[in-house]
Each structure stands twice: as structure tokens, then as C-alpha cells.
Amino acid sequence: MKNYKIAVIQGDGIGPEIMKEAIKVLDKVSKKYDLKLQYQYADAGGIAYDKLGTALPSQTIKTCEKSDAILFGSVGGPKWDSLPPEEKIEKVALLGLRKHFDLFANLRPAVVYRPLAKASPLRQDIVGNGFDILIIRELTGGIYFGKKVLEENFASDEMTYKKEEVERVARVAFEAALKRNKKVTCVDKSNVLSSSILFRKYVAKTAKNYPKVKLDYLYIDNATMQLIKRPRDFDVIVTTNMFGDILSDQAAMLTGSIGMLASASLNDKGFGLYEPAGGTAPDIAGKNIANPIAQILSGAMMLKHSFGLEDESKAIENAVIKVLKKDYRTADIMETGKNKVSTAGMGTLIADNI
Ligand code: NAD
């Protein structure tokens, strides 16, 4: 029997509610496929700050170090908004974990499932039968980590990239494309930025090792337009930290439902942190109405990317699609004529359809 240790960090707001449903679904998968999934619960975020005075206790890092992957909820909320910059919940917990485990590749799928095509704010002839884009953002380099100067009358942010930083994220993109539609689009600003010239150069060099994958290029400004005009033409997009930050949120909005979108942040050993794209949703926390699908699909990404369990991962995705096809919806994706279900109700339906 295959045995995996998972560090489970529920966090704040809707985190614990949606995590409970993800565990419900993973338990069903482990029974069906004869896996042993061991959950090690640990605190991070506001809840950890209240208990121990830090959003990322060293005990939590140790638990993660002893695990094969981290399944993460969301952290933060209005209660902790006034903390000083160095104690900011999201920064300490999430950036802390990214840094500690060198999670350099952020994978954000933007998927419109056919039954939810109407949720997209795009025209229906553009959405067609839905689209499935995977945005891969370099996560630990670029302008967010460069030297910063902020003076009274002058400010600057340095944007740097090294060959190795580009090559490793490019490899993640080409490997992912091999398992999908075999197309990578490199998004940069190489008509203006030196760091983008280097980025494009080493994406192109890495492509030589992947002759089956088609590579094309877009400047970031054009990419934002093409993503709206012809989203179905994209497969994998690989881009720098800042452009990926913006582009992945744009793509998320095109799907029309933040509660459906999962994400993964990986290092070069395949270790990863898996979390929903949304935040702690304080406006709906504790009401049993949040959509647990993003958290459930984060679990599916974990099975695929960290444990190599493709069939088990696909089983979760298929169960989600089946439940949507049967017209069950949480409040955020509700349409007239469909059946409204709670957070727990959606989790049970998906587990039952594994
Ligand atoms: P948010 O994503 O929490 O909420 C934005 C809107 O989307 C809200 O109306 C919310 O109800 C809705 N929403 C989000 N997830 C949902 C779900 N699963 N089901 C149904 N509706 C959902 O963003 P925000 O309001 O800007 O941030 C709230 C808090 O979350 C802040 O403290 C922020 O710092 C934190 N946050 C954390 C993370 C993280 O942990 N990775 C990411 C983003 C925001």
C-alpha cells in the first residue's frame, strides 16, 4: 500500500470548512485506490498568531518538513489587518513557506468546465465548450525579490533573473505541456526589459529538449488581450513573477468563479504546497455556504504533481464534473433552475461520485 504524509494547514476564515470537504474526498479516494494518506494538522495564519504570536510557528515548518506535501487552506482576515508590515499574516505564513521550501513554480489552472460555461463573463461564442489554461508563474525571483529603494523623492525596484531560475521554471512548463496539449506560450516584455530578453532566451533553449512541444511567444500587453479574445487557443503559459501574478488573476476572472480554482507551488524535488486561488472569504466564513471545489481540486493537484497519482487525481476531477452536470451548485455558482447545496453538501456529493 502506498503511504503519503500530508501536512494539513487549514488557516482562517473558510479555510477549516473547505478543508474538511477536501479531506472527505481524499479519504474516499484512498479507500477506493488503496492508499494510505496520513494527515498531520498544523497551524499557520491568524489562528497561529493568536495562539503563539507568529503566523508561521517553527513547529509548523517542522511538520511540513516531515511531510510529502502541504495542503493549505487560506490565511488572514480583518482581525489581523492592522498588524505591522513585518508581521502581516499572509506574508509571514505563505511567503515564509514558499521561501523555506524554495517553491519556485506556481501552477494556476484556469478552467471553465462545460456545465459552468455561463459563469464566465466572456461572450458565450468565445467560451464555447469551455477552456483549460495552465499558467506557470516563476515565484521566487524577479521584481518582487529584487533590491528596493524608497526615499522621499526617489524609488526603485530591481528586476533580475538568472539563467538557472528561468531554466527550472521552463522545464516545469514543458513537462506539464507534454501531459496536456503540447503547447507553451512564453509571456514576457522582451521588447523593453533585459530580464525578459534573458527569460525568453532560456525558455527557447530549454524548448530544444522538448521537440514534441510547440513554443510561441507573446508580450505581456498583447497576452492580456489575446487571453480575452481567444482563451481556447492557450494551453500552458510560462511567465515571470510579476506578469504571472497579474495574468493568473485575469485568467481566474475569465472563469467567473474564484471558488473553483486550485493552485500548486512546487520546488525541484516535486514537493509542493497546494491551495485554493481565493482567500479566507471572511464575508461568508462559518456559514457553510463557501464553495469547497477549489480546495478539493487542490487535493487532486497534490495527488498528481507531488505523488504522481494521475488516475486518482483524474477521479476527483471527474467527480467534480459529474456533480456539476447533475446540476448541483454552491451559492457562488448558483443559476436559476439548479439545486443549491451547502459546503458540506457539495463535499459529500463529490466524495459519493468518486
Ligand atoms: P477572498 O478571495 O477571500 O474573497 C473575495 C470574494 O470571493 C468574496 O466575496 C468571497 O466571499 C469570495 N470567495 C472566495 N473564495 C470563495 C469560495 N471558496 N466560495 C465562495 N466564495 C468565495 O479575497 P479578499 O476578500 O480580498 O481577502 C480576504 C482575506 O483573505 C484577506 O485577509 C486576505 O489577505 C486573505 N487572502 C489570503 C490568501 C491566501 O491565503 N492564499 C489569498 C488571498 C487573500
Side-chain angles (χ1 to χ4, degrees):
M1 189 190 266
K2 289 179 189 157
N3 189 349
Y4 301 95
K5 284 201 188 86
I6 303 165
V8 178
I9 297 177
Q10 305 183 93
D12 309 308
I14 60 168
E17 298 166 55
I18 56 175
M19 186 64 84
K20 198 171 159 200
E21 303 315 311
I23 301 293
K24 197 186 271 177
V25 172
L26 285 171
D27 279 344
K28 188 70 192 290
V29 171
S30 67
K31 255 191 210 145
K32 181 156 182 202
Y33 289 86
D34 207 19
L35 308 170
K36 189 167 176 203
L37 302 180
Q38 283 178 276
Y39 310 112
Q40 330 273 337
Y41 283 82
D43 281 332
I47 186 172
Y49 183 86
D50 287 352
K51 281 187 196 166
L52 299 161
T54 168
L56 186 59
S58 56
Q59 187 50 45
T60 296
I61 296 181
K62 278 192 199 122
T63 303
C64 295
E65 282 172 347
K66 283 189 241 151
S67 304
D68 301 309
I70 306 169
L71 191 58
F72 193 92
S74 302
V75 293
K79 185 177 175 193
W80 304 282
D81 273 353
S82 53
L83 287 176
E86 66 280 8
E87 291 187 354
K88 286 275 179 216
I89 296 292
E90 253 184 280
K91 190 175 163 198
V92 173
L94 218 43
L95 297 194
L97 285 169
R98 280 179 193 164
K99 202 168 162 201
H100 186 82
F101 291 100
D102 198 16
L103 305 173
F104 65 85
N106 183 231
L107 277 59
R108 278 266 292 260
V111 182
V112 172
Y113 295 107
R114 206 171 160 183
L116 289 186
K118 278 199 199 136
S120 171
L122 292 178
R123 257 187 4 234
Q124 288 304 300
D125 60 311
I126 294 176
V127 178
N129 283 333
F131 51 83
D132 179 353
I133 304 167
L134 178 62
I135 299 188
I136 299 188
R137 161 188 172 195
E138 198 291 322
L139 200 58
T140 51
I143 196 163
Y144 295 164
F145 291 88
K147 189 177 149 209
K148 296 182 185 311
V149 178
L150 179 56
E151 294 167 358
E152 187 58 30
N153 299 316
F154 173 82
S156 79
D157 298 280
E158 204 172 67
M159 174 141 62
T160 66
Y161 267 112
K162 284 190 267 197
K163 170 180 178 269
E164 296 76 21
E165 285 175 320
V166 182
E167 285 173 337
R168 64 182 186 172
V169 75
R171 278 196 295 274
V172 173
F174 288 108
E175 291 290 338
L178 276 180
K179 294 181 191 159
R180 297 168 46 101
N181 292 327
K182 301 186 178 54
K183 187 177 166 200
V184 170
T185 303
C186 171
V187 172
D188 58 53
K189 189 72 184 166
S190 55
N191 50 344
V192 180
L193 300 174
S194 306
S195 54
S196 275
I197 294 173
L198 184 113
F199 193 88
R200 187 178 280 215
K201 175 175 160 185
Y202 286 107
V203 168
K205 285 204 166 174
T206 309
K208 296 210 165 78
N209 299 324
Y210 298 89
K212 288 193 183 137
V213 180
K214 186 175 176 295
L215 171 66
D216 63 9
Y217 308 92
L218 283 176
Y219 297 135
I220 176 65
D221 37 357
N222 190 15
T224 59
M225 295 193 285
Q226 299 308 320
L227 207 52
I228 290 174
K229 197 174 162 199
R230 49 178 186 92
R232 282 179 287 156
D233 289 350
F234 290 91
D235 181 23
V236 175
I237 292 176
V238 65
T239 188
T240 61
N241 200 343
M242 180 168 62
F243 298 152
D245 189 6
I246 298 163
L247 215 55
S248 58
D249 270 11
Q250 185 199 359
M253 205 55 242
L254 298 185
T255 71
S257 48
I258 188 87
M260 298 285 302
L261 300 175
S263 81
S265 303
L266 306 175
N267 69 18
D268 55 7
K269 293 179 189 73
F271 182 85
L273 180 150
Y274 299 84
E275 58 169 336
T280 55
D283 50 335
I284 56 166
K287 295 183 178 162
N288 195 22
I289 58 172
N291 188 345
I293 294 180
Q295 188 76 64
I296 290 168
L297 290 173
S298 301
M301 286 189 89
M302 174 182 74
L303 297 183
K304 180 166 156 182
H305 294 284
S306 281
F307 306 161
L309 301 171
E310 297 267 348
D311 291 349
E312 292 82 346
S313 175
K314 200 79 207 151
I316 297 181
E317 249 191 88
N318 288 341
V320 168
I321 295 169
K322 254 195 230 167
V323 170
L324 294 174
K325 271 195 185 151
K326 288 181 189 168
D327 285 347
Y328 291 105
R329 304 281 189 272
T330 43
D332 56 315
I333 49 173
M334 186 59 191
E335 296 164 45
T336 40
K338 310 288 182 199
N339 309 305
K340 199 185 214 177
V341 292
S342 64
T343 308
M346 182 56 93
T348 302
L349 280 163
I350 295 169
D352 288 348
N353 277 277
I354 295 287

